[in-house]
């Protein structure tokens, strides 16, 4: 159970009461829907209303558009959603990650090369001002990976540095800047990219560091951010075999190389247990091969939820009825089914994330990002 009085939520008794009462009055379908981030396929008003009224989504990650288009989209979504939505931008390089006519500041490697952390703060500040102005309250940034392999195809130009101390320092400044506008940052990609040289979109890509090496690098970065009150993280489809071995010396090869998004050892034992992270967790997109190659989709979704008890959210860009009903619903209502890794109580335990002055209720403080099957 997450602690709603502790950071990053910091809710008072009235806020906690609202969360608990909101969840208690939700149907099972509404609770399941809250586990999903819809990767919006359309800005059509009928489509947007269907997502919130029929599928009860908990969050949205939309496709690029102009500021006015995104504003109108977000207005429709929030006005029609029973529960306030998290609406995520992707401000890795500035306000252009919130809308196509937003301000491009620069990729993180550009900011890092200035050797002046004020520019990390300014990138966060500009991102927050522009994203919040069009109705966003969440962002999949900053990238807090550490570049230890120049051949890495994902973050070679998207991270601050290869030095853990600098990555932490700049990430804290970005976080400070963007949170001034009420945007909740989601640092990514836990447990850390920049070690292997494969692309999780196309292949599995483990983080090969020993437990001691990880603690001194990625563990140091994430630990510092957690201490500062980081609201959320994005889990990457990245295995961390040495830490799996740490928690289970008898782990099978399959367990050792299971991506973090499907691994209880990484998300529950390491992230929640050893590191005491109390915030929201979202997975990277679920169409990526590092995740889809691990198991059937019908098994993948309940496994992702079960990997972080009591918390998870999923990113989706297809007809949700094809996912919620046959995949998650049976595993909650009928726990002895083939997907029976979940229990009803796990879907109902409360969590919340404070964004500005709004407390957003979640069935769990984690999210899986679903994409087309």
């Amino acid at each position: 159970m997450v602690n709603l009085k502790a950071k990053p939520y910091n809710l008072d008794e009235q806020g906690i009461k609202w969360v608990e009462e909101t969840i208690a009055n939700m149907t099972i379908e509404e609770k399941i829907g809250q586990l999903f981030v819809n990767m919006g396929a359309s800005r059509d008003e009928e489509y947007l209303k269907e997502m919130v009224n029929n599928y009860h989504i908990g969050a949205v990650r939309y496709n690029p558009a102009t500021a006015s288009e995104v504003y109108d989209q977000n207005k429709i979504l929030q006005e029609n959603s029973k529960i306030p939505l998290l609406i995520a931008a992707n401000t890795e390089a500035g306000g252009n990650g919130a809308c196509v006519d937003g301000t491009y500041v620069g990729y993180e490697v550009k900011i890092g090369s200035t050797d002046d952390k004020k520019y990390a703060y300014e990138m966060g500040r500009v991102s927050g001002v522009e994203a919040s102005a069009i109705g966003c309250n969440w962002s999949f940034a900053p990238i807090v990976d550490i570049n230890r392999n120049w051949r890495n195809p994902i973050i070679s130009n998207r991270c601050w540095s290869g030095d853990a101390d600098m990555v932490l320092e700049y990430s804290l400044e970005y976080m400070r800047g963007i949170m001034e506008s009420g945007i909740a940052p989601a640092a990514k990609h836990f447990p850390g990219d920049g070690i292997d040289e494969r692309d999780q979109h196309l292949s599995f890509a483990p983080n090969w560091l020993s437990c001691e090496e990880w603690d001194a690098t990625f563990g140091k970065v994430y630990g510092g951010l957690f201490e500062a009150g980081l609201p959320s993280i994005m889990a990457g489809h990245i295995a961390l075999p040495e830490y799996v071995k740490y928690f289970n010396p008898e782990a099978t090869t399959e367990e050792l190389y299971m991506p973090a998004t499907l691994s209880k050892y990484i998300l529950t034992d390491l992230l929640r247990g050893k590191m005491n992270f109390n915030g929201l967790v979202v997975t990277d997109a679920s169409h990526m091969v590092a995740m889809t190659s691990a198991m059937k989709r019908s098994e993948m979704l309940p496994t992702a939820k079960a990997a972080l008890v009591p918390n998870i959210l999923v990113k989706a860009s297809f007809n949700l009825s094809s996912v919620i009903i046959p995949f998650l619903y049976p595993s909650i209502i009928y726990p002895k089914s083939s997907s029976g890794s979940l229990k009803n109580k796990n879907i109902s335990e409360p969590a919340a994330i404070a964004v500005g002055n709004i407390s957003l209720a979640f069935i769990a403080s984690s999210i899986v990002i679903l994409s087309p099957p």
Side-chain angles (χ1 to χ4, degrees), residues 2-11 175 179 223-232 272 275-280 352-354:
V2 296
N3 183 354
L4 299 182
K5 292 183 178 180
K7 56 187 175 186
Y9 310 113
N10 303 309
L11 296 185
M175 175 176 152
M179 290 183 72
L225 293 171
F226 298 166
E227 180 62 29
L230 179 73
S232 59
R272 289 290 194 220
M275 301 189 75
N276 296 310
F277 181 58
N278 191 48
L280 174 72
I353 184 166

Side-chain angles (χ1 to χ4, degrees), residues 172-318:
L172 287 169
E173 286 300 298
Y174 179 98
M175 175 176 152
R176 181 169 69 91
I178 199 169
M179 290 183 72
E180 288 178 356
S181 294
I183 303 290
K188 60 187 182 186
H189 307 82
F190 186 87
D193 206 346
I195 304 301
D196 200 78
E197 54 193 63
R198 282 165 288 191
D199 181 344
Q200 297 101 51
H201 295 83
L202 307 172
S203 171
F204 88 114
N207 182 319
W208 300 101
L209 296 184
S210 68
C211 295
E212 294 75 20
E213 290 171 330
W214 190 89
D215 289 344
T217 52
F218 295 98
K220 183 176 187 177
V221 169
Y222 279 102
L225 293 171
F226 298 166
E227 180 62 29
L230 179 73
S232 59
I233 67 130
M234 176 183 285
H237 307 309
I238 301 167
L240 191 61
E242 291 304 311
Y243 249 114
V244 173
K245 198 180 301 181
Y246 170 85
F247 289 112
N248 180 10
E250 305 302 319
T252 65
T253 299
E254 182 180 14
E255 290 173 323
L256 288 172
Y257 296 103
M258 189 68 66
T261 43
L262 298 171
S263 175
K264 179 180 180 295
Y265 297 115
I266 303 305
L267 293 187
T268 295
D269 296 343
L270 175 59
L271 180 63
R272 289 290 194 220
K274 191 172 188 288
M275 301 189 75
N276 296 310
F277 181 58
N278 191 48
L280 174 72
V281 178
V282 58
T283 74
D284 209 342
S286 68
H287 68 281
M288 295 167 66
V289 173
M291 190 180 197
T292 60
S293 63
M295 60 186 66
K296 294 179 180 178
R297 194 173 190 85
S298 58
E299 299 171 357
M300 185 179 77
L301 302 184
T303 300
K305 173 66 185 80
L308 188 54
V309 177
N311 314 97
I312 209 145
L313 184 68
V314 187
K315 191 169 158 187
S317 61
F318 49 87

Side-chain angles (χ1 to χ4, degrees), residues 6 12 23 58-60 92 102 108 130-131 173 210 233 285 325 331 339:
D12 58 18
I23 292 174
V60 171
E92 299 177 0
E108 288 186 10
E130 296 187 357
E173 286 300 298
S210 68
I233 67 130
I325 301 304
S331 70
S339 299

